[in-house]
Each structure stands twice: as structure tokens, then as C-alpha cells.
Amino acid sequence: MTNKHNMQVLQELAAKNGPLCVGLDTDPSYIPENIIKQYGSAPEAVLAYNKAIIDRVAADKSACCFKVQIAYYEAMGLEGLKVYSQTLKLVRNTGLIAISDIKRGDIGATSKAYARAHFTGDFETDIITLNPYMGFDTLQPYTEYADPEHGGKGAFVLLCTSNPGMTDIEHQELKAGGLLLERVGDEIARIGTEFGKFYDGQTCGVYGAVVGATQVSDARYLRDKYANTFFLIPGYGAQGGDAAICKTLLERAGGTVNSSRGILCAWKKDASLAEKTAAGTLTMDDIAGAAAKAACDSKIDLTR
């Protein structure tokens, strides 16, 4: 067989374009007021903002994927969800991978409905994020879509997240020995092995793991322990994770490093745009140019 699942495609794109993932956590407050007025509403401005950044970053080949955080679109109501759907289509039309950051984690029929909602229809995406901490039965319904007949869809499962409170649960020791996060990592690896039979030459599992760049003490251990698992790496930039930690996590099967505000809000730190910003004459091209430069700079930082 020569089919590739979406995680393999992402792994190859990361090798080709660099490991950057651009996070489209687009809050209307990130957009200058004069631009929102041009588009008539916050949702319409967000869509235009996303499109400008997607087009520039994709043209520069400075990223391998975009991660769309659904919460920011839900917060805008029904119009926001339309923008969410349209943003996913814009990403997928570039040939890059769309990751939907939905962090679902529920049982039985509810998980089946979530899987159907995000792997088919209006919200169809390539890869989603999942929360496994209600138990591994919550992951099972999504695996139906991991085989070639159902699109080779993937998921990044929360393993070792970037927030300070991750130690409250993820670092807890089990009675049987080991940490809870290790039990999760073992299950992610098992799923990858299970679906390996569908794909010739699989170099990473259909499911990857979320491993934060802020967890310095875990980086080397987790990278070596889960050598064939592709990582989604949050925490780079605004949350304090640096390129050195990211490079450790990018070894072995590799990974993709998310940057959201650092790219979405790059125009705010661009000294060459200060006068336009103050005068309220900033254009969408200005914003896209600043975002594209920030993406290229991040790519260089992560690959040099």
C-alpha cells in the first residue's frame, strides 16, 4: 500500500517547509479597529485577517500547518462558526494541514458525534486535538476515521501540556507504577502500531501527542521514550518555551511547533508600522506582511 495518513503528510510537510505551525487563535481584539470597520463586523474581519495570513504564509512556505482554535470562533456565535468552517477550507485549499484544536474528550455516542462533526461535513478537518483524561474509550470512536477508507484522519492527544497546572493530573503517579502521562503516551503509541497495518512505510503513528515546550525536564525523556510519535509542541514564544527545547522535541519522529500570538499580532511589534498604527491607517497587507516576516523568523529560529 502507498496510502499516507494525515500525520505522515504533516511529518513530510514539516521536513519540507520547516516545523512551524501557525495558530489561528484569532480574537477580534487583535485586529485594528479601522480594519474591523472596513469589513462591517468582527467575524467578517477575522475571516479576512485569517485569509491574508494564510495566503502569505503558504506562499512563503514558512509553515507546515495551521491550527485553528475553535473557542475563539464559538465566542463569536453562529457567524463565528461559519468563519471557523471557512477558515478550515482556506487552509486545506493551500495543501497544508489543518489542525482543529477542539480538545474533545467524552464517551460513547457523544464521541461518535464529535468525530462525525469534525471529520466530515461543514467542520471537516485533517487532524484534531483530544483530551484522554476521561479514559481511553473516549479515543476509540475517532480511530474509525484513521484508516484509508475514511480519510486517514489524525489526532494529537494531550500528553504533557504547556500550562503550569499540568502537574495536577499529568504528573500523578499510578499505583501500578509510572506517571499518568506515561500511560497516555503508551496508548498513543499502541494506536499507532495498530493502524500501521493500513499504511506501507509508516514512519509515525496516526495519532500524535501534545508536548509543551515549557516542560524542560520532560522534553528529553519523552522524546526518547516515544521515538515514533509525532509531537504538537505548544508554548513556544509567548508562553516562554524557547527554540532549544523545541529542537529536542523535534528529534526522532519530529513535530510541529505552534506559534499563535507571535504571528497574529506581529504587526503590533513592527516598528516600521508604528506611524500607520497610530494614525489608524494600517492595511490588511501590512498585517499580513508582518505576520509573514514573523513566520519566516520563527522558521529560521527553529531550524538553524
Side-chain angles (χ1 to χ4, degrees), residues 188-294:
I188 295 169
R190 186 198 66 76
I191 292 172
T193 300
E194 176 186 340
F195 280 86
K197 63 180 178 287
F198 291 116
Y199 299 98
D200 184 37
Q202 175 175 281
T203 54
C204 64
V206 294
Y207 278 17
V210 176
V211 179
T214 57
Q215 309 305 328
V216 182
S217 60
D218 293 312
R220 169 52 60 196
Y221 173 71
L222 292 175
R223 182 65 283 174
D224 291 344
K225 183 173 177 61
Y226 301 112
N228 297 320
T229 300
F230 194 80
F231 289 167
L232 171 59
I233 307 165
Y236 171 70
Q239 291 186 53
D242 64 22
I245 301 169
C246 292
K247 288 173 184 177
T248 296
L249 294 171
L250 289 169
E251 294 175 11
R252 309 285 187 164
T256 180
V257 180
N258 183 72
S259 177
S260 298
R261 282 170 289 169
I263 293 171
L264 293 177
C265 299
W267 62 270
K268 294 183 178 182
K269 296 182 178 181
D270 191 329
S272 69
L273 299 177
E275 287 187 15
K276 281 190 172 184
T277 300
T281 58
L282 206 66
T283 68
M284 199 65 87
D285 282 343
D286 293 328
I287 288 170
K293 182 180 184 303

Side-chain angles (χ1 to χ4, degrees), residues 164-195:
M166 56 81 65
T167 55
D168 296 341
I169 295 175
E170 297 163 25
H171 266 205
Q172 293 302 301
E173 291 192 17
L174 301 175
K175 289 183 179 179
L179 300 178
L180 179 55
L181 65 83
E182 292 175 302
R183 180 70 183 88
V184 173
D186 292 348
E187 180 64 12
I188 295 169
R190 186 198 66 76
I191 292 172
T193 300
E194 176 186 340
F195 280 86

Side-chain angles (χ1 to χ4, degrees), residues 60-142:
D60 289 347
K61 298 182 180 178
S62 55
C64 57
C65 58
F66 292 85
K67 182 173 71 66
V68 189
Q69 168 52 260
I70 196 171
Y72 291 87
Y73 302 86
E74 291 174 331
M76 292 186 285
L78 294 177
E79 290 303 310
L81 286 175
K82 290 179 183 178
V83 172
Y84 172 78
S85 176
Q86 291 168 305
T87 297
L88 290 173
K89 290 180 175 66
L90 289 170
V91 172
R92 299 180 79 211
N93 286 342
T94 67
L96 301 181
I97 288 289
I99 302 171
S100 290
D101 196 352
I102 61 173
K103 295 186 180 72
R104 298 298 189 250
D106 214 322
I107 59 174
T110 305
S111 277
K112 288 183 180 180
Y114 278 139
R116 188 169 66 251
H118 293 283
F119 284 149
T120 67
D122 291 339
F123 299 148
E124 183 177 359
T125 192
D126 300 312
I127 297 171
I128 58 175
T129 57
L130 296 175
N131 186 339
Y133 289 101
M134 275 184 67
F136 298 142
D137 57 332
T138 66
L139 303 180
Q140 194 58 41
Y142 301 94

